[in-house]
Amino acid sequence: MNYDRILIRYGEISTKGRNRNKFVDKLRKSVRIALTPFPNIKIEASRDRMYVLLNGENGIEIIKKLKNIFGIQSFSPAIKVEREMESIKEASLTLVKSLYLEGQTFKVTAKRSDKTFDLNTDEINNAIGGHLLTNIAGIKVDVRNPDINLRVEVRKEAVYLSCETIKGAGGLPSESSGKAMLMLSGGIDSPVAGYMAMKRGLEIEAVHFFSPPFTSERAKEKVIDLSKKLAEMAGGSIKLHIVPFTDVQQAIREQVPENYTMTSTRRMMLRITDEIRKKQEGLAIITGESLGQVASQTLESMYAINEVTNTPILRPLISMDKTDIIKIASEIDTLEISNRPYEDCCTIFVPASPKTKPKREKVNQYESYFDFEPLIQEAVQEVETLVIKPDREPHSEFSELF
Ligand code: ATP
Ligand code: MG
């Protein structure tokens, strides 16, 4: 069957009242970017739905792309027909015949958004249903659990026929919720946290702490590869800020008692990320923390670490079990990269027994003997910012200017 358009349903976006136009524009932009390889398509968007007109482009490939776009609740490949019963019956027959397998059942579900149409929904259902029953040998009606559900939507401009409803990625359109910095390690959790934040419409920039020579180029490559996956989900590119963290870590090791180094390391990371956030004009920080997963993620730890900033810290995985996080990592195709064995800057100086219940007063006291601020500023100064695209070598933020 040759579908000539794909009908896209917005889902949650349609509850956004007066902001709706803004959301529809963002979604249209995401669809446009994802479908760049198909130059003949045309996008028509109205307040409550969107159509991609295929104009001869490959529907199957386009469906694959649409599945990954945030802000789409579901979509259906559809055929447009004139508002005239004979044409509707004929097109319905061709469509159902193209899908029908011996012994299958069907039902017709008509919907009228335009009540001026001559027939009501029951009458439409009966007319089309009767036409299919007389013209397809062996087909039967099953209104509860049909194999084929033919949807007939009567709208002002035309009638649309479709048989399939394909689930979309859900969430809100890309970049409709503002910008946040994602603290991206090479682990399993933080890329998943980034995915979940993007799904809610956040634009993200990744921040990675790197401690050469204790962490290798291979560890950096791993983070670049994870960022490529995130760039793909973002529908274009993302920025990755790589922070040289060795000097700060050495200072912590010299100044802070061993069982508090982990707490202090996290506090310094957060301070630096917050500085980068200010420069980049983001409004939040995202981490892959999950309550109780490791020593740094107890409530006491979070309380001690979070003290250094009052910027909102979003923790999309906070209440999730590791097995569920791994499941998502596998679905979004980051698991394999995260499982590569290279060391992370936090694993190289891991204390034998990190405090699981650190105290704010104590960590403040230990940090007060040394001025970390100049080292923090220096790290921020020396950040290397890369623009990451899914299928290209990363390049420095400034190389595009020349
Ligand atoms: P992940 O799987 O994301 O590495 P984790 O279970 O290993 O998480 P931690 O090592 O305690 O947990 O890290 C908690 C969070 O701190 C991470 O999810 C990430 O957001 C941030 N983080 C840890 N290490 C780094 C790093 N080297 N660079 C940037 N962020 C980091
Ligand atoms: Mg980690």
Side-chain angles (χ1 to χ4, degrees):
M1 189 71 221
N2 281 335
Y3 291 106
D4 62 350
R5 60 185 54 219
I6 295 171
L7 175 162
I8 293 174
R9 297 179 195 84
Y10 302 152
E12 209 176 321
I13 173 176
S14 51
T15 64
K16 296 294 172 198
R18 283 195 295 156
N19 279 334
R20 194 199 293 225
N21 287 348
K22 192 184 104 191
F23 280 78
V24 173
D25 284 348
K26 297 276 186 195
L27 183 61
R28 177 200 272 268
K29 189 177 151 204
S30 304
V31 173
R32 168 71 56 209
I33 293 172
L35 301 186
T36 330
F38 310 95
N40 295 323
I41 58 123
K42 205 169 159 258
I43 300 169
E44 276 177 7
S46 69
R47 280 178 63 77
D48 55 357
R49 56 189 51 215
M50 191 177 286
Y51 293 100
V52 175
L53 312 188
L54 300 182
N55 286 325
E57 296 283 10
N58 186 332
I60 310 257
E61 290 303 312
I62 289 176
I63 287 172
K64 277 191 207 153
K65 297 272 183 195
L66 292 179
K67 279 186 184 164
N68 301 321
I69 299 176
F70 298 129
I72 295 181
Q73 186 203 28
S74 68
F75 57 95
S76 303
I79 300 169
K80 183 180 184 179
V81 218
E82 268 173 68
R83 288 166 43 112
E84 195 267 310
M85 263 333 268
E86 280 315 303
S87 319
I88 299 171
K89 285 201 278 191
E90 275 324 296
S92 296
L93 182 60
T94 319
L95 176 57
V96 173
K97 260 187 175 167
S98 76
L99 297 170
Y100 176 69
L101 301 173
E102 185 84 37
Q104 282 189 322
T105 56
F106 83 105
K107 85 169 184 186
V108 183
T109 315
K111 240 172 96 181
R112 285 190 312 168
S113 68
D114 173 28
K115 310 281 187 219
T116 65
F117 192 69
D118 294 343
L119 307 183
N120 68 25
T121 49
D122 281 343
E123 290 164 342
I124 301 171
N125 289 343
N126 289 336
I128 299 174
H131 190 66
L132 298 180
L133 284 169
T134 34
N135 290 290
I136 304 176
I139 199 166
K140 287 195 197 73
V141 175
D142 181 348
V143 288
R144 288 240 170 75
N145 194 15
D147 299 308
I148 300 170
N149 183 359
L150 172 66
R151 292 175 180 235
V152 180
E153 281 205 60
V154 180
R155 296 177 67 83
K156 251 198 189 68
E157 71 288 358
V159 170
Y160 298 97
L161 305 178
S162 60
C163 282
E164 266 182 291
T165 299
I166 302 166
K167 201 165 168 285
L172 299 173
S174 221
E175 301 183 12
S176 58
S177 304
K179 189 199 283 186
M181 314 309 287
L182 169 67
M183 295 179 67
L184 182 64
S185 68
I188 294 173
D189 303 326
S190 41
V192 174
Y195 159 77
M196 291 178 72
M198 286 197 285
K199 183 168 172 179
R200 289 311 293 174
L202 280 173
E203 176 188 357
I204 61 170
E205 293 190 9
V207 177
H208 177 69
F209 291 85
F210 183 57
S211 296
F214 305 104
T215 43
S216 65
E217 282 300 315
R218 308 285 285 275
K220 190 163 153 185
E221 268 166 38
K222 183 178 172 183
V223 174
I224 290 176
D225 287 347
L226 287 170
S227 302
K228 284 186 178 176
K229 289 285 172 197
L230 293 172
E232 208 175 303
M233 297 172 213
S237 67
I238 73 164
K239 281 185 186 164
L240 168 62
H241 306 279
I242 298 179
V243 185
F245 198 48
T246 316
D247 293 350
V248 178
Q249 271 193 301
Q250 302 269 31
I252 295 170
R253 202 156 60 142
E254 282 156 25
Q255 302 300 326
V256 175
E258 196 191 319
N259 58 352
Y260 267 82
T261 52
M262 192 265 310
T263 311
S264 208
T265 304
R266 297 290 180 196
R267 284 162 59 102
M268 299 303 157
M269 281 186 170
L270 200 50
R271 281 168 68 174
I272 293 172
T273 305
D274 209 24
E275 291 294 319
I276 301 172
R277 174 199 65 78
K278 274 184 223 157
K279 276 190 158 176
Q280 300 300 115
E281 300 179 345
L283 294 178
I285 294 169
I286 303 156
T287 74
E289 290 164 305
S290 165
L291 192 60
Q293 200 188 77
V294 289
S296 64
Q297 298 174 25
T298 62
L299 203 53
E300 290 83 358
S301 271
M302 286 185 203
Y303 184 71
I305 294 166
N306 215 148
E307 188 190 19
V308 300
T309 179
N310 55 20
T311 299
I313 300 190
L314 310 180
R315 301 178 175 91
L317 312 185
I318 196 67
S319 63
M320 286 178 70
D321 293 348
K322 192 78 184 186
T323 46
D324 297 327
I325 300 171
I326 290 174
K327 194 161 160 257
I328 299 179
S330 143
E331 282 162 11
I332 63 172
D333 210 21
T334 54
L335 185 62
E336 218 174 290
I337 305 172
S338 294
N339 276 338
R340 288 185 208 156
Y342 312 112
E343 68 297 331
D344 180 80
C345 72
C346 295
T347 46
I348 47 171
F349 298 132
V350 177
S353 53
K355 269 268 176 232
T356 52
K357 296 186 176 182
K359 299 273 176 291
R360 280 188 177 185
E361 314 81 70
K362 287 238 170 109
V363 69
N364 275 310
Q365 185 199 333
Y366 299 142
E367 288 176 7
S368 71
Y369 303 131
F370 180 80
D371 185 8
F372 283 94
E373 192 55 31
L375 286 183
I376 287 181
Q377 290 308 327
E378 201 177 308
V380 173
Q381 285 299 315
E382 282 168 18
V383 163
E384 179 192 9
T385 297
L386 299 175
V387 178
I388 309 282
K389 296 191 174 165
D391 41 14
R392 281 186 37 201
E393 281 308 298
H395 51 92
S396 141
E397 182 179 22
F398 301 108
S399 62
E400 271 197 342
L401 299 175
F402 302 106

